[in-house]
Amino acid sequence: MRRTIDWADGAIVIVDQTALPRDYRVLELRSVGELVDAVKRLAVRGAPALGAAGALGVALSAQHRGDVRADADLIAHARPTAVNLAWGVERALSKLDQGPDAVLAEALALLDEDEHLNKTASKHAADVVLAECARRPLRLLTHCNAGRLATVGWGSALGVVWHLHERGLVEEVLVDETRPLLQGARLTAWELDQAEVPYRVQPDGAAAAAMARGMVDCVLVGADRIAANGDVANKIGTYGLAIAARHHGVPFVVVAPSSTVDSTLADGAGIAIEERDARELTEYGGVPITPVAARVFNPAFDVTPHDLVTAVVTEHGVLRDGVLRGGVRSPGRRRSP
Ligand code: MRU
């Protein structure tokens, strides 16, 4: 399977995530302006994929002998919440004094590492899920898209599903549609479809009801930024899911590469939350659906407090006290039957 984001013939090549699942098409981005536009439009999205985009964007600017530091600033600020974007930019910039080829080599090394790190993190998380949940096969619930499309390859939360599915341990994945941009209905469902994993798409508002009916053994999500105390920023709706999971005694597991941990932030209060265009809510498929004067609250992410999270898992394993200050606590929960 092709990488979600790659470098070929002097261009950044991405799978266009605005077109899926209708069209699988590939875009070549040949300027920093095109890359920034693709990031803002979510043609490339998901925290680890944004890290790759940041690094490759700096490499592109360096190859063109542009004002690399100014370009790096533009790229790093294209979206504010996923820390991986600025991390990828910084990592490529660190090689600038060694010349454009060294910058590109660093960006390509980051891409090469991504799949391995996500595979390792999601393998650790699969072990956590198996330890937390007694029922086999498992009924899993996920929100947004934390799959291959959100990374260079493999995925984080969906990566756990791939590991468990390989072992015949997945009964079904409930996929939150993920309003308003439908990353769940369009992208996660498409990935599960391709992999022939049984799934059902549900409205975001059905998640608590599914838990109340005993249909969910574990919630699995990715992250855009994890503060030092284990607070987790992820797609809007994640916080509500965590509250519902706690109420129903369902384990809530967060999976991410360690590049998503921002140890400069003591807690989630310092995480910048992107607010997106009102038209994502006032229109549906380009057709107005609200009164013309409707005002809108459209945050792209929310912050889940660490005490609602059963485990934050990276390639290093479960983050615990001493790694994340304040620690990640396991809620009192029931085990699934
Ligand atoms: O706005 P998006 O689609 O970039 O939001 C993505 C998410 O919230 C993902 O859950 C997160 O980046 C983790 S992806 C492995």
Side-chain angles (χ1 to χ4, degrees), residues 270-290:
I271 299 177
I273 299 295
E274 175 183 6
E275 293 231 10
R276 293 190 58 87
D277 195 308
R279 282 171 300 182
E280 292 179 355
L281 287 168
T282 59
E283 297 178 359
Y284 192 81
V287 179
I289 56 167
T290 60

Side-chain angles (χ1 to χ4, degrees), residues 50-60 75 85 88-89 91-92 103 106-107 110-111:
L50 289 175
L56 287 175
V58 173
L60 186 69
I75 299 163
L85 180 59
V89 164
R91 188 161 153 184
V103 176
E106 187 66 15
L110 183 155
L111 265 65

Side-chain angles (χ1 to χ4, degrees), residues 42 45-48 50 79 143-147 150-151 156 183 222-224 234-235 300-301:
L42 274 53
R45 49 146 297 282
L50 289 175
R79 294 188 77 192
H143 189 71
C144 195
N145 172 267
T151 60
S156 60
Q183 290 93 330
D224 287 85
N234 191 50
K235 178 55 54 193
F301 303 95

Side-chain angles (χ1 to χ4, degrees), residues 30-327:
R30 295 197 171 272
S31 69
V32 167
E34 286 176 10
L35 173 68
V36 169
D37 180 57
V39 168
K40 288 182 192 273
R41 291 188 302 109
L42 274 53
V44 57
R45 49 146 297 282
L50 289 175
L56 287 175
V58 173
L60 186 69
S61 173
Q63 295 286 317
H64 290 185
R65 308 284 197 275
D67 182 343
V68 181
R69 290 196 185 275
D71 285 344
D73 201 51
L74 273 179
I75 299 163
H77 291 98
R79 294 188 77 192
T81 305
V83 68
N84 309 61
L85 180 59
W87 168 83
V89 164
E90 284 306 320
R91 188 161 153 184
L93 262 187
S94 71
K95 300 292 176 187
L96 191 56
D97 57 354
Q98 295 172 37
D101 289 345
V103 176
L104 180 58
E106 187 66 15
L108 294 176
L110 183 155
L111 265 65
D112 287 343
E113 287 162 21
D114 178 89
E115 180 166 341
H116 171 70
L117 293 180
N118 284 305
K119 256 189 182 155
T120 308
S122 52
K123 173 71 179 67
H124 290 314
D127 292 341
V128 170
V129 173
L130 292 172
E132 292 286 332
C133 307
R135 191 182 191 279
R136 306 283 185 271
L138 292 152
R139 289 103 25 108
L140 305 165
L141 188 155
T142 193
H143 189 71
C144 195
N145 172 267
R148 289 196 166 88
L149 291 167
T151 60
V152 177
W154 190 256
S156 60
L158 270 194
V160 182
V161 173
W162 311 142
H163 282 300
L164 294 170
H165 178 62
E166 273 172 9
R167 297 170 60 183
L169 294 173
V170 178
E171 180 172 320
E172 152 170 270
V173 182
L174 284 175
V175 179
D176 278 358
E177 61 171 350
T178 317
R179 288 279 299 149
L181 296 181
L182 305 177
Q183 290 93 330
R186 295 187 302 105
L187 307 176
T188 298
W190 181 78
E191 289 197 45
L192 291 165
D193 214 72
Q194 298 278 308
E196 299 183 3
V197 178
Y199 70 91
R200 281 189 280 174
V201 178
Q202 64 182 7
D204 298 346
M211 292 183 215
R213 289 195 196 184
M215 293 162 58
V216 182
D217 299 311
C218 188
V219 177
L220 287 167
V221 294
D224 287 85
R225 193 181 294 235
I226 301 166
N229 71 339
D231 291 351
V232 174
N234 191 50
K235 178 55 54 193
I236 188 72
T238 303
Y239 177 30
L241 262 187
I243 292 171
R246 166 61 66 86
H247 182 75
H248 293 290
V250 173
F252 184 93
V253 176
V254 176
V255 195
S258 58
S259 51
T260 307
V261 177
D262 183 352
S263 49
T264 69
L265 293 180
D267 58 43
I271 299 177
I273 299 295
E274 175 183 6
E275 293 231 10
R276 293 190 58 87
D277 195 308
R279 282 171 300 182
E280 292 179 355
L281 287 168
T282 59
E283 297 178 359
Y284 192 81
V287 179
I289 56 167
T290 60
V292 176
R295 295 189 305 137
V296 159
F297 174 50
N298 188 20
F301 303 95
D302 57 27
V303 176
T304 300
H306 61 88
D307 57 359
L308 292 178
V309 178
T310 306
V312 174
V313 189
T314 74
E315 70 274 15
H316 304 305
V318 177
L319 300 185
R320 295 185 192 285
D321 290 349
V323 178
L324 286 179
R325 268 177 288 134

